[in-house]
Amino acid sequence: MSEAVTLSGPARGRLAPFRRQTRRVASRAGVKASGFEGQLLPLLLLAPQLLILLLFFFIPAVRVLVQAFTLQDPFGQDIIFVGLENIQALLRSAEYHASAWASVVFTLASTVLTLVVGLVLAFATDRVVRLRGGYRTVLLVPYAIAPAIAGILWAFLFNPVVGPAAFLLHALGIPWNPTRVGNHAMVLVVLAASWKHVCYNYIFLLAALAAVPRTVMEAAAVDGASPLRRFFAIQLPMITPTIFFLVVMNVVHGLFETFAIIDATTRGGPAAATSILVYKVYVDGFVNLDLGGSAAQSLLLMVFAMILTFIQFRAIDRRVSYDLGQ
Amino acid sequence: MSSTVMTRRAALAAGAGLLAAPFLPARAQGQRREVRFWHAMTGVVGERVEELCRRFNESQAQVTVTAVYRGTYDELINATVAAYRTRTQPQLVQIYERGFMTMLLSNAIVPVHELMAANGHRVDWSDFIKPIAGFYTWRNQLQAMPFNSSTPILFYNKAMFQRAGLEKPAATWQELEEQLRRMKAAGVPAGTVMAGDYHWSWFENYSAINDMPYATRNNGFDGLDAEFVYNRTGVVGQVARMKRWLDDGLMVMAGQGFSPESVFTSGRAATYIASTAAHAGVMAARDLPWDATYLPHEEGKDPRNSTIGGAVLWALRGHSDADNGATAQFLAYLAKPETQVWWHKATGYVPATNTAYQMAKSEGWYRERPTQELAVLQLSRGTPTANSLGFRFGNFTQTMMAQREEAERAFAGQKAPQAAMDDAVSRGNEILRRFERLNQGRY
């Protein structure tokens, strides 16, 4: 993931790779010509990265693949090959369906929320002249907070017994209780995860907005287009590649990288209402010591992620313009 | 479906031998042998574990026990599994009571009875108190060394009871509910707070105390083919009771970000059903007029003993005889009545042997701290029956998690208590069958 984003300057470079991608295709030969002579050096240069991939991705992935088809005791004494039983059991189980559904709700809700809020904030700071740096810094702070701390913070703020935010909700007559009502807990984890991830969206959108040519904007302004009109007619269409990229990143983030925040905020409860797929993998594997079942879930999750990414690129890619010259 | 069983024992033994060789320390004369001991105790009790090891290390010159904190009980059993699979396991691990069957049938342990006998330590096994020995004994031998055992009791706030003109909690659930309603009417914020391990006190201990079966085959003691039956007992009524109490504001849930114990100690609830291990926290609370009593029982029932929770120390396989000897030496120290009494006083856990209990009693320890004796008294209350001896289920953590999930569905009103417990039982039985299949012929 490219999380190392510099904030200095108008950050035009951010958009550049997207813009150039399509143009590069034509000149592939040129790229090849400037390549290495022989194979030893490139292989050597690739080796560290490949080694890391091998150790931390390929070996575990293969082991998961094997484990998913076995029933085994945690100490590895006996391994019974059970074929597709683990996967069939999962597909039958109501809890797994509930977990998948919770993942969909959680991911969609947090993706939409982070994008919309990120866009509003980026649009607003794009128009701010004074203290722009100050606003940006304040808006970026949540990203620097560890997920576990953020989760506990939100859990405490909205704790129905002692949380100040919960008091406010109760005072407004809302029977807020995330420790008993599943939907409330879902709202809480969506808020917590989005609050942390909105910053990520914000920097990218801010950079994208800065990359929209001033001349176009000024021309529109001269023609009498209001800031909102300019935003919807010019800026938004021009930053669609970034939005598409962020949709992909947010979905991936929601599905796979929110374990810590869920663990700290709700522990998947109540009644597994916030136990999204990644969290269920952890609970079944590391709390319940059901290695086969947990591995089968990982496998399905992997397949699920691949299908999702494929659909996203196929469906959305066609409608996204990478060419600013259009 | 074809199923092949690969026994790894041979490979394991060979591997352990090969790997152990380079790590054998070159030991000079008089050098101490190290016993690595992984535990899951934090806070005050964690400090006591350190102190226990220090005391042992200073008491003799051959063995050094190094206590290492390895996270919560769940994390610790995981760390143990991972270590065992990579042949880097410590000599001694502390595993919670729910992990008993996993450890027992893992082929990764040395039964403590055998370990002590092989190293010439004489331990009076019959001295261990029944509820503890019964829980961890298999084929007439204690399999692991009892370490920290507790049982749930009822803590209460005396001032809140007085506010409603009551003296102390009633003995039955029915009367207690009336009391909580009266207190609520008198302005007490909540009658009780739900403990984090409510399944243990409200379902499991409830079944033992009220002599209700939890599963067939004597709660699993007689075989791996046991099936849960608590959907046909008072447990369903317990779920309904909890829901009713939650609905009527008699019970609160602390929720994430706040602890049930703090709800009680900060005066937000009149009672708190929790492990005797909660003593430390309750005693540390300032200006809390607290006391404790037995867990309630059903009207018209003759209350039996409650059951234990906590953890035991397992000796792991794959170490040299000399190392095992060192481990045995530490366990022998632990089994001594003096150590037991010290541990009991320092932590509030139940004394594991009758001798230790009598020693503490004769020293007058309970005269000033009557609530610390409650656990022992409650554990030996009434005549034990097959339903009150404890529980022996494989994958017990997993069945418990499923049960809690279903109970929480009932609390939230998504399912009726009966339907929730029916589902919990059928999910639990499926989990038990998986364990049975994997461990056929071992129990």
Side-chain angles (χ1 to χ4, degrees), chain A residues 171-257:
Chain A
L172 292 172
I174 300 166
W176 171 260
N177 192 349
T179 46
R180 198 174 163 196
V181 185
N183 291 343
H184 293 185
M186 183 53 94
V187 169
L188 185 60
V189 286
V190 166
L191 282 177
S194 305
W195 176 73
K196 243 197 88 48
H197 207 58
V198 82
C199 326
Y200 182 83
N201 289 258
Y202 168 73
I203 353 176
F204 277 88
L205 291 167
L206 193 68
L209 285 179
V212 173
R214 286 280 154 209
T215 46
V216 184
M217 295 294 289
E218 280 159 11
V222 169
D223 287 345
S226 69
L228 272 181
R229 178 79 201 273
R230 270 176 277 163
F231 175 74
F232 284 109
I234 300 169
Q235 287 178 311
L236 199 60
M238 281 185 156
I239 61 171
T240 40
T242 305
I243 291 178
F244 166 61
F245 164 76
L246 285 174
V247 167
V248 176
M249 293 315 283
N250 285 345
V251 168
V252 169
H253 173 83
L255 279 178
F256 302 101
E257 288 163 40

Side-chain angles (χ1 to χ4, degrees), chain B residues 28 59 102 165 214 241 246 270 293 303 322 333 340 369 398 404 425:
Chain B
S59 74
T102 302
Y214 208 71
R241 181 172 280 144
L246 284 166
T293 186
Y333 173 81
Q340 286 291 327
R369 303 165 195 80
Q398 204 178 356
R404 283 177 63 112
V425 162

Side-chain angles (χ1 to χ4, degrees), chain A residues 113-172:
Chain A
L113 193 64
T114 43
L115 257 179
V116 170
V117 174
L119 203 55
V120 169
L121 291 174
F123 174 67
T125 28
D126 193 43
R127 303 191 50 75
V128 168
V129 182
R130 244 185 259 173
L131 291 175
R132 184 188 284 200
Y135 284 111
R136 274 203 303 232
T137 312
V138 170
L139 288 172
L140 288 175
V141 165
Y143 203 62
I145 294 173
I149 294 170
I152 286 174
L153 208 77
W154 280 83
F156 178 77
L157 275 176
F158 284 87
N159 181 293
V161 184
V162 289
F167 276 129
L168 202 70
L169 290 171
H170 291 163
L172 292 172

